[in-house]
Amino acid sequence: MSSPVTDTTERRGLYKAFAASLSGTSLEWYDFAVYSSAAALVFGDLFFPGSDPLTGTLQAFGTYAVGYIARPLGGIVFGRLGDVIGRKRVLVATLLLIGVATFCIGLLPTHAQAGALAPTLLVVLRFAQGVGVGGEWGGAVLLSSEFSQAGQRGFWASAAQVGPPLGTLMANGVLALLAGLLTEAQFLSWGWRLAFLLSAVLVAFGLLIRSKLEETPVFKELAARGDRPTAPVTEVLRTQRRPLVAAILARVGPDVLYAMFAVFVLTYATKELDMSRGQAVTAVLIGSACQVGLIPFSGYLSDRYGRRLIYGIGAIGGAVWSVVFFAITSSLGTLILGVVIGLVFHSLMYGPQAAFVSEQFTARLRYTGSSLAYTFAGVIGGALAPLAFTYFLAKTGTGYVIALYIVVACMVTLVGLRLGSAVVDDEDLAVSRA
């Protein structure tokens, strides 16, 4: 039985891990999201100028996709390191990588200043962002989940899941503030750069928190037993194929839904509905703010009622709502309503996702397995979705084809949930306690 001192120490470690996971992923997703928003709003004009605005946006989303395509490399490299040398040290490296890349984007010349060199450098830095994010998620999830107790893992693991909406909230908030304070000419000329340069301050804060964090109890126990893998990627592909496929498929729907209601909706509102940048960003801000509370609540619900049930409700609801969204959205009010409800269904999937994915893999391979699932699903789901949405809108002039795409993605998620294990091996996930 644990002593009061031990309980207090473990609880303090859990709180610190939750804060490190939340703050680190929020800062990294600020970096990633500020690029996503800028790709929808300004990068088409600045780095890919052309006569057709939608073509420029399509090219800008092409560089957005590069960030997702780079994630598997980050997942392979940093996932392996996370299972071999530990969670904490890897997470410091990933935060530093994405922060430096984002800061450098703020210093880039535009196409008018440097020609083809400008979009080339943008793609390189976006690739570096993707590598960092690819290595981040698996470790951030394990930080809080491996400190937590059985029956509470859905809630505590959701710390990493709050990072994307909180990062999106900060990114769009900064861009909205800059767009409101500056003229359009000033914003396009230099104002957008401030959002990227701010990354240096935010990353320094995140590094300070992570540098003081202890290694997770689970990894300490694995190290003490000498049970760390030597070739974790190969071992996952050889022994954990079904869990890997289940985790990948389960992630497709949430990625596509997020790409619609937090990224592409900015383009849809400004290009198709003739709304201002500020109105479009406001809708995403409100939806992201709601998610900050909804995601951990969904994680809690999954502890109580089961991961697959809550996750599945979100997938079915997201599929249905995507059709309704394009039917009702014509004004700012309906846009806000549509985004908020869309992100509610996303939260029902995203909250349980961290625990569901990590629980598919054994402890000694969990960083690698979770990272591979996260990154490969990102390529299938998040990378292709904005490109597909932009193409379908340009070719058909209607959102219903986009809705069909989302419906299919959510059905893929249901298949993944069916393939995945609903049984949590608490002896494997938790550490023994004196």
Side-chain angles (χ1 to χ4, degrees):
M1 182 176 178
S2 301
S3 68
V5 174
T6 303
D7 287 341
T8 301
T9 301
E10 290 173 353
R11 206 70 181 170
R12 187 180 299 118
L14 177 58
Y15 292 149
K16 288 170 66 176
F18 186 90
S21 179
L22 175 61
S23 61
T25 53
S26 297
L27 297 177
E28 291 203 7
W29 273 92
Y30 167 86
D31 293 346
F32 210 69
V34 78
Y35 183 99
S36 303
S37 298
L41 298 174
V42 299
F43 279 177
D45 295 328
L46 296 178
F47 290 92
F48 306 96
S51 58
D52 180 8
L54 269 179
T55 299
T57 302
L58 186 62
Q59 291 173 317
F61 277 142
T63 60
Y64 171 85
V66 166
Y68 280 91
I69 295 170
R71 287 186 186 185
L73 177 60
I76 291 170
V77 173
F78 290 114
R80 178 187 181 282
L81 290 174
D83 280 327
V84 173
I85 68 174
R87 299 16 173 162
K88 172 189 170 179
R89 292 162 66 183
V90 170
L91 287 172
V92 170
T94 59
L95 183 60
L96 187 61
L97 174 61
I98 194 171
V100 170
T102 304
F103 182 81
C104 289
I105 289 175
L107 301 176
L108 283 180
T110 64
H111 189 279
Q113 297 167 325
L117 178 63
T120 301
L121 292 174
L122 183 64
V123 169
V124 170
L125 292 173
R126 179 61 172 174
F127 188 88
Q129 275 191 326
V131 171
V133 172
E136 161 72 16
W137 186 82
V141 166
L142 299 190
L143 269 186
S144 48
S145 66
E146 290 187 344
F147 272 98
S148 63
Q149 299 282 351
Q152 302 176 352
R153 197 161 292 114
F155 172 77
W156 291 106
S158 69
Q161 304 299 84
V162 180
L166 195 55
T168 299
L169 189 63
M170 292 191 295
N172 283 297
V174 168
L175 288 170
L177 180 63
L178 292 171
L181 294 176
L182 305 174
T183 65
E184 184 166 358
Q186 290 173 325
F187 182 77
L188 290 174
S189 176
W190 54 267
W192 65 272
R193 297 181 183 275
L194 298 180
F196 288 86
L197 298 178
L198 179 62
S199 172
V201 177
L202 299 176
V203 169
F205 174 72
L207 287 173
L208 178 64
I209 294 177
R210 287 194 172 176
S211 65
K212 297 180 178 180
L213 188 67
E214 295 182 6
E215 187 53 82
T216 72
V218 170
F219 185 80
K220 285 182 179 179
E221 185 169 296
L222 290 171
R225 294 201 311 253
D227 196 24
R228 288 177 289 179
T230 56
V233 176
T234 301
E235 195 171 340
V236 166
L237 295 177
R238 188 179 70 250
T239 67
Q240 310 269 283
R241 285 192 291 269
R242 176 164 177 160
L244 181 61
V245 171
I248 289 173
L249 297 183
R251 275 191 38 77
V252 171
D255 268 14
V256 171
L257 206 64
Y258 181 83
M260 173 62 218
F261 289 108
V263 180
F264 179 75
V265 71
L266 297 172
T267 297
Y268 182 75
T270 55
K271 306 292 186 186
E272 191 70 13
L273 303 180
D274 294 323
M275 295 184 185
S276 68
R277 288 190 180 100
Q279 289 175 318
V281 169
T282 296
V284 175
L285 279 172
I286 294 172
S288 297
C290 293
Q291 281 201 292
V292 172
L294 283 170
I295 286 175
F297 180 64
S298 297
Y300 162 78
L301 290 176
S302 77
D303 286 328
R304 185 162 186 178
Y305 300 108
R307 313 267 187 254
R308 294 198 291 190
L309 175 62
I310 303 303
Y311 211 133
I313 291 172
I316 295 171
V320 173
W321 185 250
S322 64
V323 178
V324 176
F325 173 81
F326 289 106
I328 68 168
T329 304
S330 59
S331 64
L332 178 59
T334 54
L335 177 69
I336 293 173
L337 177 67
V339 169
V340 168
I341 295 179
L343 292 179
V344 166
F345 288 122
H346 177 264
S347 298
L348 290 174
M349 291 187 279
Y350 215 59
Q353 184 184 101
F356 176 82
V357 170
S358 63
E359 287 166 358
Q360 303 305 307
F361 303 97
T362 58
R364 63 193 302 275
L365 299 171
R366 187 167 298 127
Y367 201 138
T368 300
S370 298
S371 296
L372 291 178
Y374 175 77
T375 56
F376 281 106
V379 174
I380 299 170
L384 297 179
L387 288 167
F389 295 163
T390 305
Y391 175 81
F392 290 145
L393 184 63
K395 289 296 182 181
T396 67
T398 176
Y400 289 108
V401 179
I402 296 173
L404 178 61
Y405 188 104
I406 297 171
V407 169
V408 172
C410 289
M411 296 306 103
V412 168
T413 284
L414 292 177
V415 173
L417 294 177
R418 182 67 182 85
L419 288 174
S421 172
V423 179
V424 181
D425 185 355
D426 289 320
E427 292 300 319
D428 180 52
L429 283 159
V431 296
S432 57
R433 306 187 185 276

